[in-house]
Amino acid sequence: MDWKSIANDYPYQERVIKAQQAQQKLAKKAGQGIFRQQYHFMAPGGWLNDPNGCIWYQGQYHLYYQHNPFDSVWGEMYWGHAVSKDLVHWQHLPIALVPSESYEDHPRGGVFSGSTISKDNALIAAYTATTFQGNQHLQTQCLARSTDGGLSFEKFAMNPVITSPPAGVSADIRDPRILRHGDRWYIVLGASLGAGAWSHGEGCALLYESADMLHWKYRGVIARSGGKLGTMWECVDLYPLNGQWVLSFSPMFLGDSKTVCLTGTMDFQNACFSWHTRSELDWGTEYYAPQSIADGCGRTIVMAWQNAWDWMPWWQDFGPVSSEGWCGCMALPRSISLDQNGRIISAPVEELKTLRSNEQKTGWITVDGQPRELPCADPVAFEMEIKIDLQHTQSKIVYIDLRSNGDKKSRLIIDLDNKQLTFDRHHADNGFVKGMRTCNLPIEGNMLDLRIFSDTISIEVFAAGGLCCMSNLIYPTHQDQQCQIYSEGGISQVNITIWQIARLL
């Protein structure tokens, strides 16, 4: 391959230096913010969204991410970079990819999302570049290479390698997922058939094939919405899991759905993905653009942006944290698998248990209509594990009030009668977030389990062994927060353990 050297490219290096200086300046301001998370990953300062290039490489987890180092709102995109040996403790590294070429000079574009793969002792990144073509927003697919362990990249001299959408596909074509299967390289792209994402398009995934990673042949549409799964598929991922294949994506204009996973078979020869099971990786309001990592332990790990676009469009406010010099965090890393019915099971990675301290146990207790305060050493940053003995429970509903102080609370509603789980944040803070999310709750057997992770501005819930998950943001500022539990329609038998989570950031 012919790569453009950046070692002596002054304009490129100057952009890197300016980006680093801007990030460091914002980091000083962000460090004083009252809403900074305590154990969720954030950029040092500035804007963060989609995880990019997630990979287990040279004994470390590499997390690249969409990043605006100059401001705490979405703008021209760079790739931020961090590494970890345990998915818990992260080391921030210099910004890895910066927009520097004519094909990526859009002021609200730059280096968009993508992925990485290891090849010939190098790390290859595939990403979407954005520029103007007349008055149009042109999205093309490009390659970059790192030979220093993923720290810095040089770009392919013949970029872009995919220059235009195929016939029938709108200009919305982005977020390349690069993978190897057999003796061929493949790129899967999210796209929209017909009129486009913002009109009446049809979300789809496209497949490209290459023998040398330089010359790419369009193979076709491997899966499509059929009018039922959104107008555009963003951040498409394709990976093997437990002997099957998973196609995941974040759909546009699909109501409450933010992270769809289709489980089935992938026929690379005929460019066709056939699915039999649909799952939602998360039913919360804020969980977007998940990307998988096949790690060195045989696990499939998923990282995702703990946010979403619908509540903070770019022409409006980007939320209460943007005034603090930062915006955006990652959801907790998950280990995922499939159950016997092909459904996705999500579990917080085991390494998170190393953050536990100050364990508090209730033992088996009887809960009724009288709110009962739960013992939290830290009612803001904690992990809570709840078991409900369904054989000895008569109640129809169990309520758990989190981060509560009088009228201010986030409420988890476990509807045992209708087998539904609801997260209600109508009164979570001073009015910035509103609404509730409800999903079906698989109740199978005589015991129902839930794990709840609370951080400064987020609550993540894993229920029914990880078959049902919810990630939501809140912005509470009220003092003396606490947690309570009570039931409706009879008594409940519950067993609760709570740990304080150590502050990392």
Side-chain angles (χ1 to χ4, degrees):
M1 287 189 179
D2 186 10
W3 300 95
K4 180 178 180 180
S5 174
I6 62 171
N8 299 309
D9 187 337
Y10 176 73
Y12 187 93
Q13 293 300 333
E14 185 180 35
R15 288 181 69 86
V16 172
I17 292 170
K18 287 183 176 179
Q20 285 295 135
Q21 291 173 339
Q23 184 196 70
Q24 291 166 8
K25 182 178 179 180
L26 284 174
K28 292 180 180 179
K29 181 179 181 181
Q32 305 301 314
I34 65 171
F35 290 124
R36 291 287 281 182
Q37 298 272 56
Q38 297 191 35
Y39 59 94
H40 284 71
F41 179 84
M42 303 169 290
W47 168 270
L48 170 152
N49 61 289
D50 303 352
N52 297 153
C54 297
I55 191 170
W56 171 259
Y57 182 64
Q58 296 183 350
Q60 297 184 104
Y61 297 95
H62 287 254
L63 169 63
Y64 301 92
Y65 54 89
Q66 290 286 276
H67 183 40
N68 179 3
F70 295 96
D71 205 344
S72 52
V73 299
W74 182 74
E76 187 179 40
M77 288 293 101
Y78 293 60
W79 273 26
H81 187 200
V83 294
S84 173
K85 292 186 180 296
D86 61 3
L87 294 165
V88 175
H89 302 86
W90 292 92
Q91 176 189 358
H92 293 290
L93 296 176
I95 292 169
L97 264 177
V98 307
S100 60
E101 309 303 315
S102 60
Y103 51 78
E104 54 196 20
D105 61 2
H106 197 295
R108 286 191 175 274
V111 179
F112 266 12
S113 292
S115 56
T116 60
I117 196 167
S118 176
K119 180 181 185 292
D120 298 334
N121 298 314
L123 192 64
I124 307 297
Y127 66 94
T128 297
T130 59
T131 188
F132 285 112
Q133 187 178 59
N135 294 323
Q136 298 295 317
H137 192 179
L138 179 64
Q139 299 177 3
T140 59
Q141 317 312 317
C142 300
L143 298 175
R145 179 184 69 172
S146 173
T147 57
D148 61 1
L151 290 175
S152 63
F153 286 83
E154 52 190 359
K155 298 174 183 178
F156 182 40
M158 300 304 292
N159 276 341
V161 295
I162 299 175
T163 58
S164 60
V169 177
S170 79
D172 298 299
I173 175 172
R174 53 184 174 267
D175 312 331
R177 178 53 158 168
I178 190 167
L179 67 150
R180 178 84 167 175
H181 183 74
D183 62 352
R184 290 290 188 270
W185 304 94
Y186 294 93
I187 279 179
V188 182
L189 282 165
S192 179
L193 296 170
W198 298 95
S199 185
H200 300 288
E202 180 185 355
C204 67
L206 312 179
L207 184 70
Y208 287 77
E209 179 182 335
S210 175
D212 59 6
M213 203 184 282
L214 296 178
H215 306 91
W216 293 90
K217 178 183 178 181
Y218 174 58
R219 294 295 312 283
V221 177
I222 61 170
R224 58 195 298 168
S225 166
K228 299 179 180 180
L229 293 174
T231 64
M232 164 74 191
W233 291 358
E234 291 197 297
C235 301
V236 171
D237 198 357
L238 178 67
Y239 52 94
L241 187 64
N242 301 137
Q244 301 189 60
W245 283 85
V246 173
L247 180 71
S248 73
F249 52 88
S250 287
M252 294 177 64
F253 297 105
L254 190 58
D256 290 343
S257 184
K258 295 292 187 293
T259 54
V260 174
C261 288
L262 305 178
T263 306
T265 58
M266 179 62 204
D267 182 346
F268 286 91
Q269 183 175 355
N270 295 301
C272 179
F273 179 82
S274 302
W275 62 278
H276 52 71
T277 305
R278 172 188 170 182
S279 304
E280 293 285 335
L281 197 54
D282 196 283
W283 282 103
T285 309
E286 283 90 19
Y287 194 87
Y288 203 83
Q291 190 170 98
S292 64
I293 310 171
D295 76 358
C297 305
R299 299 179 299 181
T300 299
I301 306 296
V302 167
M303 300 290 296
W305 179 39
Q306 194 173 19
N307 226 319
W309 291 110
D310 49 1
W311 68 269
M312 52 173 214
W314 61 265
W315 61 89
Q316 294 180 4
D317 195 334
F318 280 88
V321 303
S322 60
S323 62
E324 297 184 352
W326 71 284
C327 188
C329 69
M330 295 298 171
L332 293 176
R334 303 179 180 183
S335 175
I336 66 168
S337 58
L338 297 178
D339 74 355
Q340 60 184 5
N341 296 314
R343 298 175 298 181
I344 294 284
I345 300 173
S346 295
V349 295
E350 286 292 307
E351 291 89 334
L352 288 166
K353 291 180 179 179
T354 63
L355 299 179
R356 292 173 171 176
S357 64
N358 293 328
E359 182 181 79
Q360 305 284 323
K361 290 187 173 184
T362 65
W364 285 103
I365 58 174
T366 300
V367 173
D368 54 24
Q370 185 65 33
R372 179 169 184 157
E373 185 174 347
L374 298 176
C376 290
D378 181 347
V380 172
F382 64 83
E383 177 189 351
M384 182 184 298
E385 189 175 84
I386 302 170
K387 297 182 184 298
I388 302 176
D389 182 349
L390 300 176
Q391 275 192 312
H392 298 92
T393 290
Q394 291 83 45
S395 64
K396 296 183 178 180
I397 302 176
V398 177
Y399 298 93
I400 304 171
D401 288 345
L402 306 165
R403 314 287 292 276
S404 173
N405 182 355
D407 293 335
K408 295 285 193 299
K409 62 176 72 68
S410 295
R411 175 169 290 173
L412 193 63
I413 304 169
I414 307 163
D415 188 334
L416 301 174
D417 211 26
N418 295 304
K419 295 185 177 182
Q420 290 185 325
L421 181 68
T422 297
F423 188 90
D424 183 351
R425 59 179 188 174
H426 273 109
H427 307 288
D429 51 35
N430 289 328
F432 183 80
V433 297
K434 297 178 181 178
M436 61 176 64
R437 298 300 290 270
T438 297
C439 65
N440 293 329
L441 178 63
I443 298 178
E444 302 166 357
N446 296 321
M447 195 73 65
L448 177 63
D449 63 278
L450 298 96
R451 291 178 68 185
I452 302 169
F453 289 81
S454 172
D455 204 343
T456 310
I457 60 167
S458 69
I459 295 177
E460 294 179 67
V461 182
F462 301 82
L467 286 171
C468 176
C469 306
M470 280 193 176
S471 297
N472 294 281
L473 293 181
I474 56 175
Y475 298 91
T477 56
H478 48 275
Q479 303 298 310
D480 301 322
Q481 297 176 27
Q482 58 183 247
C483 299
Q484 296 178 321
I485 187 170
Y486 56 102
S487 63
E488 177 183 302
I491 62 169
S492 300
Q493 293 295 321
V494 301
N495 191 325
I496 302 174
T497 305
I498 304 174
W499 295 271
Q500 182 178 354
I501 298 292
R503 184 182 183 93
L504 294 179
L505 305 169

